Amino acid sequence: MIGNILGTGRRRSFDGRPRLTLYALSAIFALGVVYANIFALPDALLIGILFICGIYTLLFLTVGATMTSPDKPTIFDIVLSVSSIACGVFFYSIRGDLANHITLLYQLSADKLIFGSILLLLTIEATRRTTGPGLTVVVLIFLAYNLFGHHLPPPLGHGYIDFGSFIDTLMYTTDGVFGVPVQVAGSYVFLFVMFGCLLTHAGGAEFMFKLSAALTGRSPGGPAKIAVVSSGMYGTISGSPTSDVATTGSVTIPIMKRLGYPPRFAGAVEIAASTGGSALPPVMGSAAFILAEYTGISYRNVILAALIPAVLFYLSIFLQVHFRAVRLGMAGMDTEDSALDALRTGWVFVVPVIIIIVALLAGYTPTYVAMFATLSLVGASYLTRATRMTPRRMLEGLGETTLRMLPVAGACAAAGLVIGGLTMTGLALKASSIVLLFAGSSEFLLLVLGAIIAIIVGLGMPTPAAYILSAVLIGPAFAAAGFSLLSSNMFLLFYAILSALTPPVAVAAFAAAAIAEEDAMKIAVTAVKLAAVGFILPFFFVWNEALLANGTWLEVGVAAIGGLAAVTLLALVIESDMSWPMRAVCLAAATAMLSPYLAVAIPMLMIVLAIGIWWKRTGGLPFGIGRSARRLDVGNTSS
């Protein structure tokens, strides 16, 4: 009973005319969002209100109240959907008052209080249906704290907040539900999700798999490498680990199992690679847009900063897969297709990627970058018959865009409620003070606490909500400690992303478990091992910002090359059977190569490269050290 009340709702499946109607309405809504962002450009509060009310209208019809809800919407669902429309109509009718509204200056009128309260309840129910108990309970706790926290003793207590002021702040300003997360979800994120959906319906996901198979399939551990490469390419666009696992994992996991990989390892490779897509340029899912909007750092600088860490993260997974395959004698796939064969039929999908990169480098905003990419995709699709965007594909792509945004919009609105509550009560500054008090003068301990809090906040939550809540709670403490705005927010973003595969929740693992037919927690534990470099890297790029492409050309170059060598050593440490003293030596060498001090990093990098060349030529290390690691042929990394 309690599970039904607190759990997520059932995503309904429609067939025939109801499905066509749903997709048509969703496509019309998607076109409305495009028009609002490109041509109408109303104020941020109004566009956020209309976006959320429109999303809720469809959400309550397509997501049932519980997992046992019937296939057809119930009377209760219809009432909630109609209430969402009513709220949208009301807020649009008072758009003139909203433009001139001054928060807390006057008491809200009765109608504003009623409709604001209705929209608050709709937001809580939408959050519960789409994200489940985790975020919903957090929201309810913060709402209760806002209304009743004045009864608590100092320092946790705050001044009295009456219900009218509470609704005014949360529903009639951009400090609550319609804050940065919803504004970003209704603009950049929506448009890039639209690009990804249209790309998939044109055959882009199939092209990515074929290209990955051609590049890596025949090498040792080929199927697992295909999962790494294809999941990364798809994940940067989708920004959803669960969606990525369901899309690419349904192909890669069964192939890995057929060729002898344990189900646990097959599922772990898929979710580790899928999770990292949110950190991989040029799109980086939705959280990167929120980071750019929240911090004021340009999106171009965000993706440049993420490039080296993302490459190192995927290289570490790729090398672990390779080393394990060599050690266990895992064969590659028998495939006749080459990369040229894949490009011969799918070259049209390269065009929008080039457009994205060029538009970003030219300084266009993410909104226009997404539109340029989408228009170039649609135009290029007509150059080959197999990829042509027919009216049916367009309808399904646009409709799926809106339907994919339902859980994202619900999570972003809920995050806005929490942020508004933190702003009203000053709890964010109190939380930062408490963290600083525990950390004392230790910057390393502060980072550890920040990482733990970001992961805990992110358990069971979508990445955007996890990041923004972490940034609000921990960001002030990082700023007080002197960490730069870019490095501290990238730090929190990485851990918000990694929370998707971290036990005990590990949302992405459940999607992989259903395909791999293995226990989700076993998959998650193995995925954490594969993603170990991702948990370590954020500490290093806070220490050495050259890893975020912030420094001179020499500093960035040394950091990039040193990072490649360091990640190779770390992958060896994880996957080989070398002795513990040798592991300690490798870890020390990796740390030195990632150092911000060139006088330390460059000599160590030269030593490691010299040893690597010796190893490749002779099959062993100089001076007879590390004999137990010889079972791994690190020179055999051809793909």
Side-chain angles (χ1 to χ4, degrees), residues 470-520:
S470 301
V472 172
L473 288 170
I474 310 300
F478 282 2
F483 300 140
S484 74
L485 185 65
L486 176 63
S487 65
S488 59
N489 278 274
M490 286 296 294
F491 181 95
L492 295 173
L493 175 62
F494 256 73
Y495 282 104
I497 291 169
L498 291 169
S499 66
L501 59 76
T502 306
V505 180
V507 177
F510 287 93
I515 303 172
E517 299 178 326
E518 178 59 280
D519 181 78

Short mmCIF file of all heavy atoms in Angstrom, two decimals, residues 470-520:
data_model
loop_
_atom_site.label_atom_id
_atom_site.label_comp_id
_atom_site.label_asym_id
_atom_site.label_seq_id
_atom_site.Cartn_x
_atom_site.Cartn_y
_atom_site.Cartn_z
N SER A 470 22.87 20.02 -5.39
CA SER A 470 24.25 19.98 -4.85
C SER A 470 24.91 21.35 -4.96
O SER A 470 25.61 21.79 -4.04
CB SER A 470 25.07 18.94 -5.62
OG SER A 470 24.51 17.67 -5.53
N ALA A 471 24.69 22.01 -6.10
CA ALA A 471 25.32 23.33 -6.30
C ALA A 471 24.79 24.34 -5.30
O ALA A 471 25.55 25.18 -4.78
CB ALA A 471 25.06 23.81 -7.73
N VAL A 472 23.50 24.28 -5.00
CA VAL A 472 22.92 25.22 -4.04
C VAL A 472 23.39 24.93 -2.62
O VAL A 472 23.69 25.86 -1.85
CB VAL A 472 21.38 25.18 -4.13
CG1 VAL A 472 20.76 26.01 -3.00
CG2 VAL A 472 20.90 25.70 -5.48
N LEU A 473 23.51 23.65 -2.27
CA LEU A 473 23.88 23.29 -0.90
C LEU A 473 25.38 23.40 -0.64
O LEU A 473 25.80 23.85 0.42
CB LEU A 473 23.42 21.85 -0.61
CG LEU A 473 21.92 21.63 -0.43
CD1 LEU A 473 21.60 20.15 -0.39
CD2 LEU A 473 21.43 22.32 0.84
N ILE A 474 26.19 22.97 -1.61
CA ILE A 474 27.64 22.86 -1.39
C ILE A 474 28.41 23.99 -2.08
O ILE A 474 29.51 24.35 -1.65
CB ILE A 474 28.17 21.50 -1.91
CG1 ILE A 474 27.31 20.37 -1.35
CG2 ILE A 474 29.62 21.29 -1.51
CD1 ILE A 474 27.31 20.30 0.16
N GLY A 475 27.83 24.55 -3.13
CA GLY A 475 28.53 25.59 -3.88
C GLY A 475 29.08 26.72 -3.02
O GLY A 475 30.25 27.11 -3.16
N PRO A 476 28.27 27.31 -2.10
CA PRO A 476 28.80 28.40 -1.26
C PRO A 476 30.00 27.97 -0.42
O PRO A 476 30.93 28.77 -0.20
CB PRO A 476 27.60 28.75 -0.37
CG PRO A 476 26.40 28.37 -1.18
CD PRO A 476 26.82 27.13 -1.91
N ALA A 477 30.02 26.72 0.05
CA ALA A 477 31.16 26.25 0.85
C ALA A 477 32.41 26.16 -0.02
O ALA A 477 33.51 26.55 0.41
CB ALA A 477 30.84 24.88 1.46
N PHE A 478 32.27 25.67 -1.24
CA PHE A 478 33.41 25.61 -2.16
C PHE A 478 33.92 27.01 -2.50
O PHE A 478 35.13 27.22 -2.58
CB PHE A 478 33.01 24.88 -3.44
CG PHE A 478 32.96 23.37 -3.31
CD1 PHE A 478 33.23 22.75 -2.08
CD2 PHE A 478 32.66 22.57 -4.38
CE1 PHE A 478 33.21 21.37 -1.95
CE2 PHE A 478 32.63 21.18 -4.27
CZ PHE A 478 32.90 20.58 -3.05
N ALA A 479 33.00 27.94 -2.70
CA ALA A 479 33.41 29.31 -3.01
C ALA A 479 34.16 29.93 -1.82
O ALA A 479 35.18 30.62 -2.00
CB ALA A 479 32.19 30.15 -3.36
N ALA A 480 33.66 29.67 -0.61
CA ALA A 480 34.32 30.20 0.59
C ALA A 480 35.71 29.61 0.77
O ALA A 480 36.61 30.28 1.32
CB ALA A 480 33.47 29.91 1.82
N ALA A 481 35.91 28.38 0.29
CA ALA A 481 37.23 27.74 0.41
C ALA A 481 38.19 28.20 -0.67
O ALA A 481 39.38 27.84 -0.64
CB ALA A 481 37.07 26.22 0.33
N GLY A 482 37.71 28.99 -1.64
CA GLY A 482 38.59 29.53 -2.67
C GLY A 482 38.64 28.73 -3.95
O GLY A 482 39.43 29.05 -4.85
N PHE A 483 37.80 27.70 -4.08
CA PHE A 483 37.77 26.94 -5.33
C PHE A 483 37.14 27.79 -6.43
O PHE A 483 36.21 28.56 -6.17
CB PHE A 483 36.97 25.64 -5.17
CG PHE A 483 37.53 24.71 -4.14
CD1 PHE A 483 36.70 24.00 -3.28
CD2 PHE A 483 38.91 24.53 -4.01
CE1 PHE A 483 37.21 23.13 -2.34
CE2 PHE A 483 39.44 23.66 -3.06
CZ PHE A 483 38.59 22.97 -2.22
N SER A 484 37.62 27.64 -7.64
CA SER A 484 37.08 28.43 -8.73
C SER A 484 35.65 27.99 -9.05
O SER A 484 35.25 26.85 -8.77
CB SER A 484 37.94 28.28 -9.99
OG SER A 484 37.76 27.02 -10.59
N LEU A 485 34.89 28.88 -9.66
CA LEU A 485 33.50 28.60 -10.00
C LEU A 485 33.40 27.43 -10.97
O LEU A 485 32.54 26.54 -10.82
CB LEU A 485 32.86 29.85 -10.62
CG LEU A 485 31.36 29.78 -10.92
CD1 LEU A 485 30.57 29.64 -9.63
CD2 LEU A 485 30.92 31.04 -11.68
N LEU A 486 34.29 27.41 -11.97
CA LEU A 486 34.25 26.35 -12.97
C LEU A 486 34.59 24.99 -12.37
O LEU A 486 33.84 24.01 -12.53
CB LEU A 486 35.21 26.67 -14.11
CG LEU A 486 35.34 25.60 -15.21
CD1 LEU A 486 34.01 25.40 -15.91
CD2 LEU A 486 36.43 25.99 -16.20
N SER A 487 35.71 24.89 -11.68
CA SER A 487 36.15 23.59 -11.16
C SER A 487 35.20 23.04 -10.11
O SER A 487 34.91 21.84 -10.09
CB SER A 487 37.56 23.69 -10.60
OG SER A 487 37.59 24.54 -9.46
N SER A 488 34.68 23.90 -9.24
CA SER A 488 33.79 23.41 -8.18
C SER A 488 32.47 22.91 -8.76
O SER A 488 31.94 21.87 -8.32
CB SER A 488 33.54 24.50 -7.14
OG SER A 488 32.95 25.65 -7.73
N ASN A 489 31.93 23.60 -9.75
CA ASN A 489 30.66 23.15 -10.34
C ASN A 489 30.84 21.94 -11.24
O ASN A 489 29.96 21.07 -11.31
CB ASN A 489 29.99 24.30 -11.11
CG ASN A 489 29.23 25.24 -10.20
OD1 ASN A 489 28.07 25.02 -9.87
ND2 ASN A 489 29.91 26.29 -9.75
N MET A 490 31.98 21.83 -11.92
CA MET A 490 32.26 20.62 -12.69
C MET A 490 32.44 19.43 -11.75
O MET A 490 32.04 18.31 -12.06
CB MET A 490 33.50 20.82 -13.54
CG MET A 490 33.30 21.73 -14.75
SD MET A 490 32.14 21.07 -15.96
CE MET A 490 33.04 19.64 -16.52
N PHE A 491 33.04 19.67 -10.60
CA PHE A 491 33.20 18.64 -9.58
C PHE A 491 31.83 18.09 -9.16
O PHE A 491 31.60 16.87 -9.16
CB PHE A 491 33.93 19.24 -8.38
CG PHE A 491 34.19 18.29 -7.24
CD1 PHE A 491 35.39 17.62 -7.14
CD2 PHE A 491 33.23 18.09 -6.25
CE1 PHE A 491 35.63 16.75 -6.08
CE2 PHE A 491 33.46 17.23 -5.20
CZ PHE A 491 34.68 16.56 -5.11
N LEU A 492 30.91 19.00 -8.84
CA LEU A 492 29.59 18.58 -8.41
C LEU A 492 28.81 17.93 -9.54
O LEU A 492 28.05 16.97 -9.32
CB LEU A 492 28.81 19.78 -7.85
CG LEU A 492 29.40 20.40 -6.58
CD1 LEU A 492 28.66 21.67 -6.21
CD2 LEU A 492 29.34 19.41 -5.42
N LEU A 493 28.98 18.42 -10.76
CA LEU A 493 28.29 17.83 -11.91
C LEU A 493 28.73 16.37 -12.11
O LEU A 493 27.89 15.49 -12.34
CB LEU A 493 28.59 18.64 -13.17
CG LEU A 493 28.02 18.06 -14.48
CD1 LEU A 493 26.50 18.00 -14.42
CD2 LEU A 493 28.47 18.89 -15.68
N PHE A 494 30.03 16.11 -12.01
CA PHE A 494 30.52 14.75 -12.21
C PHE A 494 29.92 13.79 -11.18
O PHE A 494 29.49 12.68 -11.53
CB PHE A 494 32.05 14.71 -12.12
CG PHE A 494 32.72 14.60 -13.46
CD1 PHE A 494 32.76 15.67 -14.32
CD2 PHE A 494 33.29 13.40 -13.86
CE1 PHE A 494 33.37 15.57 -15.57
CE2 PHE A 494 33.90 13.28 -15.09
CZ PHE A 494 33.94 14.37 -15.95
N TYR A 495 29.87 14.21 -9.92
CA TYR A 495 29.32 13.31 -8.91
C TYR A 495 27.81 13.18 -9.01
O TYR A 495 27.25 12.13 -8.68
CB TYR A 495 29.76 13.76 -7.51
CG TYR A 495 31.17 13.35 -7.23
CD1 TYR A 495 32.21 14.27 -7.26
CD2 TYR A 495 31.48 12.02 -6.97
CE1 TYR A 495 33.51 13.88 -7.04
CE2 TYR A 495 32.79 11.62 -6.73
CZ TYR A 495 33.80 12.55 -6.78
OH TYR A 495 35.10 12.16 -6.57
N ALA A 496 27.14 14.23 -9.48
CA ALA A 496 25.70 14.10 -9.74
C ALA A 496 25.45 13.09 -10.85
O ALA A 496 24.49 12.30 -10.79
CB ALA A 496 25.12 15.47 -10.12
N ILE A 497 26.31 13.08 -11.86
CA ILE A 497 26.20 12.11 -12.96
C ILE A 497 26.46 10.70 -12.45
O ILE A 497 25.71 9.76 -12.75
CB ILE A 497 27.18 12.48 -14.08
CG1 ILE A 497 26.75 13.77 -14.78
CG2 ILE A 497 27.30 11.35 -15.10
CD1 ILE A 497 27.79 14.34 -15.72
N LEU A 498 27.52 10.54 -11.66
CA LEU A 498 27.91 9.21 -11.19
C LEU A 498 26.92 8.62 -10.18
O LEU A 498 26.92 7.40 -9.95
CB LEU A 498 29.31 9.27 -10.57
CG LEU A 498 30.45 9.53 -11.56
CD1 LEU A 498 31.74 9.84 -10.82
CD2 LEU A 498 30.64 8.36 -12.50
N SER A 499 26.08 9.46 -9.59
CA SER A 499 25.10 8.93 -8.64
C SER A 499 24.13 7.97 -9.31
O SER A 499 23.51 7.13 -8.65
CB SER A 499 24.32 10.09 -7.99
OG SER A 499 23.52 10.77 -8.95
N ALA A 500 24.00 8.05 -10.65
CA ALA A 500 23.07 7.17 -11.37
C ALA A 500 23.50 5.71 -11.34
O ALA A 500 22.67 4.82 -11.52
CB ALA A 500 22.92 7.63 -12.83
N LEU A 501 24.80 5.45 -11.10
CA LEU A 501 25.27 4.06 -11.05
C LEU A 501 25.75 3.65 -9.67
O LEU A 501 26.27 2.55 -9.48
CB LEU A 501 26.36 3.82 -12.10
CG LEU A 501 27.67 4.64 -12.07
CD1 LEU A 501 28.61 4.19 -10.98
CD2 LEU A 501 28.35 4.54 -13.42
N THR A 502 25.60 4.54 -8.69
CA THR A 502 26.13 4.28 -7.35
C THR A 502 25.09 3.57 -6.48
O THR A 502 23.97 4.06 -6.36
CB THR A 502 26.55 5.60 -6.67
OG1 THR A 502 27.45 6.30 -7.52
CG2 THR A 502 27.23 5.32 -5.34
N PRO A 503 25.44 2.42 -5.90
CA PRO A 503 24.52 1.77 -4.95
C PRO A 503 24.29 2.69 -3.75
O PRO A 503 25.12 3.59 -3.49
CB PRO A 503 25.28 0.50 -4.53
CG PRO A 503 26.28 0.28 -5.62
CD PRO A 503 26.67 1.65 -6.10
N PRO A 504 23.19 2.55 -3.01
CA PRO A 504 22.24 1.44 -3.08
C PRO A 504 21.07 1.65 -4.04
O PRO A 504 20.22 0.76 -4.13
CB PRO A 504 21.72 1.38 -1.64
CG PRO A 504 21.75 2.81 -1.18
CD PRO A 504 22.96 3.42 -1.82
N VAL A 505 20.99 2.79 -4.71
CA VAL A 505 19.84 3.02 -5.61
C VAL A 505 20.20 2.62 -7.04
O VAL A 505 19.59 1.74 -7.63
CB VAL A 505 19.36 4.48 -5.54
CG1 VAL A 505 18.19 4.69 -6.49
CG2 VAL A 505 18.95 4.83 -4.12
N ALA A 506 21.21 3.31 -7.63
CA ALA A 506 21.73 2.93 -8.95
C ALA A 506 20.61 2.71 -9.96
O ALA A 506 20.38 1.61 -10.45
CB ALA A 506 22.61 1.69 -8.85
N VAL A 507 19.91 3.79 -10.29
CA VAL A 507 18.74 3.71 -11.17
C VAL A 507 19.07 3.02 -12.49
O VAL A 507 18.32 2.15 -12.97
CB VAL A 507 18.17 5.11 -11.44
CG1 VAL A 507 16.99 5.03 -12.39
CG2 VAL A 507 17.73 5.76 -10.13
N ALA A 508 20.20 3.40 -13.09
CA ALA A 508 20.56 2.84 -14.40
C ALA A 508 20.78 1.34 -14.34
O ALA A 508 20.57 0.62 -15.33
CB ALA A 508 21.80 3.53 -14.95
N ALA A 509 21.20 0.82 -13.18
CA ALA A 509 21.48 -0.61 -13.05
C ALA A 509 20.23 -1.45 -13.19
O ALA A 509 20.28 -2.59 -13.66
CB ALA A 509 22.16 -0.89 -11.71
N PHE A 510 19.09 -0.91 -12.81
CA PHE A 510 17.85 -1.69 -12.90
C PHE A 510 17.44 -1.88 -14.36
O PHE A 510 16.88 -2.92 -14.72
CB PHE A 510 16.74 -1.00 -12.10
CG PHE A 510 16.92 -1.12 -10.62
CD1 PHE A 510 17.59 -0.15 -9.90
CD2 PHE A 510 16.44 -2.23 -9.94
CE1 PHE A 510 17.78 -0.26 -8.53
CE2 PHE A 510 16.62 -2.36 -8.57
CZ PHE A 510 17.29 -1.38 -7.86
N ALA A 511 17.69 -0.88 -15.19
CA ALA A 511 17.41 -1.03 -16.62
C ALA A 511 18.31 -2.10 -17.23
O ALA A 511 17.87 -2.92 -18.04
CB ALA A 511 17.59 0.30 -17.34
N ALA A 512 19.60 -2.10 -16.83
CA ALA A 512 20.53 -3.11 -17.35
C ALA A 512 20.22 -4.49 -16.79
O ALA A 512 20.39 -5.50 -17.48
CB ALA A 512 21.96 -2.71 -17.00
N ALA A 513 19.76 -4.55 -15.55
CA ALA A 513 19.48 -5.84 -14.92
C ALA A 513 18.39 -6.60 -15.66
O ALA A 513 18.45 -7.83 -15.80
CB ALA A 513 19.08 -5.63 -13.46
N ALA A 514 17.38 -5.87 -16.13
CA ALA A 514 16.28 -6.52 -16.84
C ALA A 514 16.77 -7.15 -18.14
O ALA A 514 16.28 -8.20 -18.56
CB ALA A 514 15.18 -5.51 -17.12
N ILE A 515 17.75 -6.53 -18.80
CA ILE A 515 18.27 -7.04 -20.06
C ILE A 515 19.29 -8.15 -19.81
O ILE A 515 19.29 -9.18 -20.49
CB ILE A 515 18.92 -5.90 -20.88
CG1 ILE A 515 17.91 -4.79 -21.13
CG2 ILE A 515 19.44 -6.43 -22.22
CD1 ILE A 515 18.51 -3.53 -21.75
N ALA A 516 20.17 -7.94 -18.82
CA ALA A 516 21.23 -8.91 -18.54
C ALA A 516 20.76 -10.11 -17.74
O ALA A 516 21.46 -11.11 -17.65
CB ALA A 516 22.37 -8.22 -17.79
N GLU A 517 19.55 -10.00 -17.12
CA GLU A 517 19.02 -11.06 -16.26
C GLU A 517 19.99 -11.35 -15.11
O GLU A 517 20.40 -12.48 -14.87
CB GLU A 517 18.72 -12.33 -17.07
CG GLU A 517 17.69 -12.12 -18.16
CD GLU A 517 17.44 -13.37 -18.98
OE1 GLU A 517 18.40 -14.14 -19.19
OE2 GLU A 517 16.30 -13.58 -19.39
N GLU A 518 20.34 -10.29 -14.42
CA GLU A 518 21.28 -10.37 -13.30
C GLU A 518 20.83 -9.40 -12.22
O GLU A 518 20.05 -8.47 -12.48
CB GLU A 518 22.69 -10.03 -13.79
CG GLU A 518 23.79 -10.02 -12.73
CD GLU A 518 23.96 -11.35 -12.02
OE1 GLU A 518 23.15 -11.61 -11.10
OE2 GLU A 518 24.86 -12.11 -12.38
N ASP A 519 21.30 -9.62 -11.00
CA ASP A 519 20.95 -8.75 -9.88
C ASP A 519 21.47 -7.34 -10.11
O ASP A 519 22.64 -7.13 -10.45
CB ASP A 519 21.54 -9.32 -8.58
CG ASP A 519 21.18 -8.47 -7.39
OD1 ASP A 519 20.04 -8.57 -6.91
OD2 ASP A 519 22.04 -7.68 -6.94
N ALA A 520 20.61 -6.34 -9.93
CA ALA A 520 20.96 -4.95 -10.22
C ALA A 520 22.11 -4.46 -9.34
O ALA A 520 22.99 -3.72 -9.82
CB ALA A 520 19.74 -4.05 -10.04
#
